[in-house]
Amino acid sequence: MSRFIPMMGVACVMLASCQSTPTTPVQDSTKTVSSVDSIVRPVYVSDTVRYDSDDPAFWINPTDTSSSLVIGTDKEEDGALYVYNLQGKVIEQKVVRNLKRPNNVDVGYGLMLKGKPTDIAVTTERLGGTIRIFAVPSMEAIDGGGIEVFKEEKNPDFRAPMGVALYKDKQGTMYAFVGRKDGPSGEYIWQYKLSDDGTGKVKATVVRKFGHYSGKKEIESIAVDAELGYVYYSDEQFGVHQYYADPAKGNEELSVFAKEGFTEDHEGISIYKLTDTTGYIIVSDQGANKFHIFRREGEPGKPFEHPLLKVVKVQANKSDGSEVTSLALPGFPKGLFVAMSDNKTFEFYRWEDIAGKELQSK
């Protein structure tokens, strides 16, 4: 693959996080939650991308967490996947360039290729009509140049991929949920099974088409809760939809939440896991520079009711994509939260600064 030096790159900036978190009540339906008025600030701001930062994903190194990676998209017609260390410094030799408007990216662990488990990063290539797949941490292409998606779609306006999330079931089968710039309600999301094509490259087979859509704007952000077996996606200016991730469980919509209190678009979704069954669902309120945090496991006896627990204002401006992990990483003992900002960067936050006094940490 060809590479070139970025037009500009700024050194990471060490920033102080908020020390105080004054709160005021915010109404969500009949519940009172806390809203942080002060701005939570990141520990690091990443080197800039060339054009338009959009969505991050993590690869956690299983033998040396200090060598873990943050992978972020640069959304343009000659865009890229940028690869950063945990201080937000770009690792130039791993950057993948000449991608056709990559939107979202996700990482999966242990896809079997040539009989060996391979960690992968998958990004959508909107102008190419494909998903691109790379081995991690090498960032070597393993997709034969790209895998066409939505090719059975009769309407040419519904073939531009945008959102993506990976899911590995308990049997070890890996799937990619792929959304698009526009599509019909009921089949907006297509689920693909990923497997070896017989040559060590990845092939993708459609196994399911599902997903209600409000028609208000578009659907981009998708997130999977593998332990609980759910997939979520943001229906911008409407809410967050929840379905089963297992295609064998059918296309019943389990819930729609986060319908109130958002200023503009519902965007990035990420899941902080306290245990295999408890934690938080974090959704970006893009227009307000805020994140709304909901209870992952729902209410007692009502697993599909996700109450709003807290609204956090962050420094990241008009944040689209985000990712979080509860694993302890160097400099992030309770976990790392990364949010895209519209100044071509990604911002790295300590989870405990996001959580404040209202939420738990692992």
Side-chain angles (χ1 to χ4, degrees):
M1 67 190 70
S2 61
R3 292 183 170 90
F4 56 84
I5 302 299
M7 293 177 64
M8 64 181 295
V10 297
C12 294
V13 181
M14 194 73 172
L15 297 168
S17 61
C18 274
Q19 300 301 312
S20 61
T21 53
T23 61
T24 55
V26 171
Q27 294 298 320
D28 174 60
S29 187
T30 60
K31 301 181 186 302
T32 300
V33 299
S34 62
S35 175
V36 174
D37 294 326
S38 56
I39 298 174
V40 180
R41 303 190 184 280
V43 180
Y44 300 106
V45 175
S46 77
D47 289 343
T48 57
V49 303
R50 187 182 185 193
Y51 296 111
D52 183 11
S53 55
D54 192 72
D55 186 53
F58 301 159
W59 177 73
I60 307 299
N61 189 315
T63 59
D64 177 14
T65 57
S66 67
S67 298
S68 299
L69 304 174
V70 176
I71 303 170
T73 56
D74 184 17
K75 186 177 62 176
E76 188 51 79
E77 61 182 351
D78 62 334
L81 284 181
Y82 275 69
V83 182
Y84 299 99
N85 64 19
L86 293 180
Q87 293 75 47
K89 295 296 293 180
V90 69
I91 306 173
E92 180 59 37
Q93 66 270 26
K94 292 185 181 296
V95 175
V96 180
R97 301 194 184 276
N98 299 319
L99 298 177
K100 300 180 180 69
R101 196 174 177 86
N103 259 95
N104 285 20
V105 61
D106 200 13
V107 167
Y109 296 85
L111 176 65
M112 296 304 295
L113 298 175
K114 290 187 175 180
K116 297 180 180 180
T118 303
D119 298 344
I120 62 172
V122 180
T123 188
T124 49
E125 201 174 34
R126 193 197 301 182
L127 297 183
T130 64
I131 55 174
R132 297 300 315 275
I133 304 179
F134 304 90
V136 184
S138 70
M139 300 307 291
E140 174 189 359
I142 52 173
D143 58 4
I147 299 171
E148 186 179 357
V149 289
F150 304 115
K151 60 183 178 181
E152 298 93 345
E153 174 59 66
K154 295 180 180 179
N155 187 336
D157 294 332
F158 292 168
R159 295 178 187 160
M162 192 159 60
V164 67
L166 299 181
Y167 165 56
K168 188 177 182 182
D169 68 18
K170 294 179 180 179
Q171 290 71 47
T173 303
M174 191 173 293
Y175 300 93
F177 293 94
V178 185
R180 37 194 165 162
K181 181 66 176 175
D182 196 5
S185 184
E187 293 189 353
Y188 204 107
I189 310 293
W190 287 19
Q191 184 174 358
Y192 291 83
K193 177 183 176 181
L194 303 182
S195 59
D196 194 323
D197 70 354
T199 71
K201 303 295 184 182
V202 182
K203 67 176 181 179
T205 306
V206 179
V207 296
R208 180 187 183 194
K209 302 173 184 179
F210 72 100
H212 289 305
Y213 168 48
S214 69
K216 288 194 171 184
K217 189 175 181 184
E218 63 191 25
I219 292 169
E220 181 176 4
S221 181
I222 308 171
V224 173
D225 187 330
E227 289 83 0
L228 291 180
Y230 303 129
V231 58
Y232 301 91
Y233 60 85
S234 283
D235 189 339
E236 296 181 18
Q237 301 183 1
F238 179 72
V240 175
H241 300 260
Q242 178 181 11
Y243 287 81
Y244 286 114
D246 184 345
K249 291 190 175 181
N251 294 342
E252 175 191 2
E253 184 171 80
L254 303 174
S255 73
V256 182
F257 63 99
K259 295 181 70 174
E260 298 178 355
F262 280 72
T263 304
E264 193 175 308
D265 290 348
H266 300 67
E267 284 285 0
I269 307 173
S270 51
I271 301 170
Y272 184 90
K273 299 171 183 177
L274 290 168
T275 68
D276 280 351
T277 59
T278 63
Y280 307 108
I281 302 169
I282 308 161
V283 182
S284 175
D285 183 356
Q286 187 177 31
N289 304 335
K290 294 178 180 179
F291 285 87
H292 295 217
I293 304 177
F294 303 85
R295 182 173 291 128
R296 174 192 179 201
E297 63 273 22
E299 296 279 38
K302 300 177 181 179
F304 307 129
E305 292 188 9
H306 303 282
L308 177 64
L309 303 177
K310 183 178 181 179
V311 178
V312 180
K313 189 172 181 63
V314 296
Q315 176 179 281
N317 194 58
K318 293 187 177 297
S319 187
D320 193 337
S322 63
E323 185 59 288
V324 70
T325 179
S326 60
L327 296 176
L329 298 172
F332 303 92
K334 300 298 183 180
L336 167 64
F337 178 73
V338 173
M340 157 268 174
S341 186
D342 72 351
N343 61 352
K344 304 182 182 182
T345 67
F346 297 92
E347 298 193 350
F348 293 43
Y349 295 82
R350 287 187 291 256
W351 169 254
E352 54 267 41
D353 295 332
I354 298 292
K357 297 179 180 179
E358 299 84 2
L359 304 179
Q360 293 180 277
S361 300
K362 188 172 180 179

